[in-house]
Amino acid sequence: MKLRFYVVLAAVLLVGVSAFAQTTGTLTGTATLGGNPLPGVTVTVSSPSLIGTRTTVTDSNGNFTIGAIPPGEYTIKFEMESMQTVTRTTRVGLATTARVDAELKLTAVAEAITVTASAPAVLETTEVQTNITSQLVSNLPMNRDLRGTVGLAPGVTSTGPGNAQVISGAPSFDNLYMIDGAVVNENLRGQPHDLFIEDAIQETTVLTGGISAEFGRFTGGVVTAVSKTGGNEFSGSFRDSFQSPKWTALSPNSTARRTKNINQTYEATLGGRIIRDRLWFFTAGRYFQTNSASPLFGAGAPTVPTSREQQRIEVKLTGQVTPKHSLTVSSLDIKDDQVNNFFPSAARTWEVRSVDPGRSLPNSFLTAHYNGVITNSFLIEGLYAKKKFAFEQSGGDSRDLVLGTNANDISGNFFGAPTFCGVCTPESRDNKNWQAKGTYYLSTKGTGTHNLVAGYDDWVSMRKSDNHQSGSDFTIGMYSSPTATCPLCGIQRQGDGSIRITTRPGFDTIIIWWPILEAS
């Protein structure tokens, strides 16, 4: 009865050990002798992606598991006294489980067997997943951003509102996106922020079905990406990408205007060692500035120059406190400044005064991931992550009743001050998360081999928004069209900056007050 209880408990708790924080992978396998399990074999794994080496010993069933290792190419060495040394190579993917088995043989003379290739297991995990490396993304003619990469996975479509991605048929706002362990979803609509530098991403894994119970806050899919970590050898890259509206063909009946501007995007990476086999660094940067011109709505309306300047900076440190304890800290910061932003769009903006002259959208994340090998059977992990995003100076720059009021007419055209308030409290959409997890590797002759996992996940999502609709908190709306009896009825801007409303009985003209009675 007691044995049956432990078997049931193990089955309930059996989950993949690679799920935590989605920045690592797992390696598992079996050592045999003459087709029979061989306990006591020393298994040593090494990789350019791993600081030092990880060592374990096969259990009574000949099995081993090494969790929380960074993705990359691995060399696995099986050693035992009076046995031939067997060396295998394999690749461990992000959030995946790789399997390597070895058949050892007795020998009277020191001899080593090296196997350089092996067939992957048909099914090592119940998860339906796609692992996409940076090399594949670089070789394909596709967008190199996160959306372009995720679109390569089966079960992913861009059929949500505004071409948002849908995974496994779930609502587009209900997927989970993580980079270096930080959740980068935008709090309101669930879409991922651009918190990455393309050349810095090492690989991306898209989970679309059979996903581990360790994940939460989603009903569709889980997307996780991890950036590079540096290494004992110094390496870097530089990329300059060119784009121009003139290089994109238009449909035959299109009346859109295209400028000849050539916009460039610069990316650079650099990684290496601070202390060999002890402390690595990785840094990356991305910069672009775009300039364009958008015609406002209406006959004889002017063309307004617009620009956007953005820089992204990433810093990552990977350190080994002791041979069994490691810590990775990663941060990415975005400075995003926009000049003459339109809301809702240039096609509905009647005059220059309705254009937002300047706003900023700062965005960042910070993560810290710890893992410690307490014994060959017991692994502990910890994660802290936070993401920040804000709208700063987004909207009208005056609280004045005249200069801060906007207006719109029956056709949806916008007049007056820009929408929202740029001198009020900025809107923020942040989150933070910390997790703790323990994994115990249980192996007995009677119950077999199991990973028992227990953990705690604390998640906080924060949105602070007073949502002022204008600088003055007033909006004017006119919802009837001019007629022969009142051809001047409508909204006009006067020379002193005020708005003139011409109306008569029967025309629907309203003044709306949107008071913020209590701050968010």
Side-chain angles (χ1 to χ4, degrees), residues 146-170:
L146 187 63
R147 282 179 51 86
T149 302
V150 173
L152 295 175
V156 179
T157 63
S158 297
T159 55
N163 297 322
Q165 288 182 321
V166 172
I167 301 179
S168 299

Side-chain angles (χ1 to χ4, degrees), residues 245-257:
K246 276 290 186 181
W247 298 345
T248 301
L250 298 177
S251 62
N253 296 325
S254 175
T255 59
R257 304 178 190 177

Side-chain angles (χ1 to χ4, degrees), residues 26-41:
T26 300
L27 184 63
T28 187
T30 303
T32 56
L33 176 63
N36 298 312
L38 183 61
V41 177

Side-chain angles (χ1 to χ4, degrees), residues 199-215:
D199 276 352
I201 293 296
Q202 179 174 336
E203 60 186 84
T204 304
T205 295
V206 183
L207 308 176
T208 57
I211 303 173
S212 169
E214 290 187 49
F215 296 103

Side-chain angles (χ1 to χ4, degrees), residues 154-480:
V156 179
T157 63
S158 297
T159 55
N163 297 322
Q165 288 182 321
V166 172
I167 301 179
S168 299
S172 60
F173 56 80
D174 222 6
N175 301 313
L176 182 63
Y177 294 88
M178 292 183 291
I179 298 177
D180 282 349
V183 176
V184 297
N185 292 63
E186 195 272 340
N187 298 39
L188 188 60
R189 296 175 178 86
Q191 300 307 297
H193 284 298
D194 292 335
L195 283 164
F196 57 83
I197 298 171
E198 289 89 334
D199 276 352
I201 293 296
Q202 179 174 336
E203 60 186 84
T204 304
T205 295
V206 183
L207 308 176
T208 57
I211 303 173
S212 169
E214 290 187 49
F215 296 103
R217 306 181 299 278
F218 79 98
T219 61
V222 174
V223 176
T224 178
V226 65
S227 61
K228 300 173 183 177
T229 58
N232 281 327
E233 305 302 325
F234 293 95
S235 62
S237 65
F238 178 80
R239 182 190 298 264
D240 187 2
S241 303
F242 299 84
Q243 291 179 323
S244 174
K246 276 290 186 181
W247 298 345
T248 301
L250 298 177
S251 62
N253 296 325
S254 175
T255 59
R257 304 178 190 177
R258 296 181 299 170
T259 64
K260 297 180 179 180
N261 295 341
I262 295 179
N263 299 312
Q264 295 175 258
T265 301
Y266 303 96
E267 295 177 61
T269 67
L270 177 65
R273 66 180 182 273
I274 298 176
I275 304 175
R276 180 179 290 274
D277 290 328
R278 193 68 180 268
L279 182 60
W280 294 347
F281 78 92
F282 179 80
T283 60
R286 184 182 191 272
Y287 174 84
F288 76 83
Q289 182 176 13
T290 60
N291 298 282
S292 60
S294 300
L296 298 184
F297 182 77
T303 297
V304 177
T306 63
S307 67
R308 182 183 182 187
E309 183 179 14
Q310 186 189 88
Q311 66 177 25
R312 308 179 192 178
I313 301 294
E314 178 180 353
V315 178
K316 189 173 185 178
L317 293 174
T318 304
Q320 192 179 65
V321 183
T322 72
K324 293 188 176 183
H325 300 269
S326 63
L327 178 67
T328 299
V329 178
S330 177
S331 70
L332 193 146
D333 184 80
I334 297 179
K335 181 181 179 182
D336 192 351
D337 297 325
Q338 301 175 5
V339 176
N340 290 339
N341 177 72
F342 297 94
F343 187 87
S345 67
R348 296 175 63 184
T349 302
W350 190 266
E351 56 179 358
V352 175
R353 190 181 295 268
S354 299
V355 178
D356 188 349
R359 69 172 186 170
S360 181
L361 280 67
N363 202 183
S364 65
F365 76 69
L366 171 68
T367 68
H369 183 202
Y370 159 80
N371 71 70
V373 181
I374 307 304
T375 69
N376 285 338
S377 300
F378 186 39
L379 172 70
I380 60 173
E381 297 176 79
L383 170 76
Y384 173 78
K386 67 177 182 180
K387 185 216 68 171
K388 289 184 173 293
F389 174 72
F391 292 91
E392 296 181 352
Q393 300 176 334
S394 183
D397 294 332
S398 175
R399 298 285 282 165
D400 182 78
L401 186 62
V402 173
L403 300 180
T405 297
N406 57 26
N408 58 85
D409 63 16
I410 190 173
S411 300
N413 303 319
F414 277 73
F415 301 78
T419 307
F420 307 129
C421 179
V423 291
C424 302
T425 303
E427 178 177 349
S428 61
R429 302 174 185 178
D430 307 331
N431 68 55
K432 62 181 179 180
N433 181 214
W434 71 268
Q435 302 173 4
K437 171 185 168 183
T439 303
Y440 185 73
Y441 184 66
L442 174 66
S443 178
T444 66
K445 285 289 186 180
T447 63
T449 301
H450 305 274
N451 286 310
L452 304 180
V453 180
Y456 181 81
D457 185 348
D458 184 85
W459 166 260
V460 179
S461 177
M462 298 160 286
R463 181 183 175 210
K464 182 178 180 181
S465 174
D466 290 339
N467 201 21
H468 293 268
Q469 293 301 293
S470 70
S472 67
D473 289 332
F474 282 89
T475 295
I476 299 174
M478 191 168 194
Y479 301 109
S480 295

Side-chain angles (χ1 to χ4, degrees), residues 63-121:
N63 300 320
F64 75 94
T65 293
I66 298 178
I69 55 177
E73 301 293 335
Y74 278 81
T75 299
I76 305 95
K77 185 178 291 186
F78 297 81
E79 298 175 296
M80 189 175 188
E81 188 176 354
S82 301
M83 298 286 176
Q84 296 176 351
T85 297
V86 176
T87 303
R88 303 289 298 273
T89 60
T90 192
R91 185 179 185 281
V92 177
L94 173 64
T96 63
T97 299
R99 184 174 188 87
V100 174
D101 300 326
E103 173 72 20
L104 277 68
K105 297 181 179 179
L106 292 167
T107 180
V109 181
E111 183 180 357
I113 298 175
T114 301
V115 181
T116 57
S118 61

